[in-house]
Amino acid sequence: QVQLVESGGGLVQDGGSLRLSCAASGSTFSDYSMAWFRQAPGKEREFVAAIRWSGGTTMYADAAKGRFIISRDAAKSMVYLEMYSLKPEDTGVYYCKADLQIKAITDPKFGSWGQGTQVTVSS
């Protein structure tokens, strides 16, 4: 019933910026935590950033701290990921996740997922 649709990916130069969007539907999401993950070819899906729907408390992976900003607009039922100073190693498919269990928010094997959006950073 929960549906997540990512958009905003594309090709960007080394040092550039992108803003990803996740359209969330099927719930008010009041009790949910939301997250962004990414997966490069041949690598495991890895946690990037998370936010509580109610209250807006955030957490970030070390690779994202200081460069990425996760936010949500409850009125629009949207989650965003602003990315700055992008590097080639940021390349991958970025996925939006929703989970009722906050302790599982960083685990790639749990939650509801979107289809992903491709981010490519050229060197």
Side-chain angles (χ1 to χ4, degrees):
Q1 190 168 3
V2 171
Q3 292 181 285
L4 306 172
V5 181
E6 303 94 334
S7 62
L11 177 64
V12 66
Q13 297 176 356
D14 190 349
S17 304
L18 278 175
R19 186 188 192 188
L20 306 183
S21 299
C22 173
S25 62
S27 175
T28 61
F29 294 95
S30 297
D31 300 320
Y32 278 81
S33 295
M34 311 294 293
W36 287 95
F37 284 68
R38 67 188 182 189
Q39 187 168 24
K43 297 185 65 177
E44 297 180 354
R45 190 172 299 188
E46 66 175 349
F47 170 76
V48 176
I51 188 168
R52 294 288 299 274
W53 192 269
S54 298
T57 302
T58 60
M59 65 179 295
Y60 296 90
D62 288 342
K65 290 179 180 178
R67 298 191 300 122
F68 293 6
I69 303 172
I70 188 170
S71 62
R72 57 96 177 82
D73 187 332
K76 296 181 179 180
S77 195
M78 297 286 291
V79 182
Y80 304 101
L81 184 68
E82 297 173 78
M83 304 185 293
Y84 302 93
S85 300
L86 284 163
K87 310 170 184 177
E89 50 262 46
D90 294 318
T91 293
V93 178
Y94 282 68
Y95 297 90
C96 185
K97 175 190 175 182
D99 205 314
L100 283 167
Q101 300 184 56
I102 188 171
K103 292 186 177 181
I105 196 62
T106 63
D107 194 325
K109 296 183 179 180
F110 293 90
S112 299
W113 299 87
Q115 83 291 342
T117 185
Q118 175 70 229
V119 172
T120 303
V121 184
S122 61
S123 59

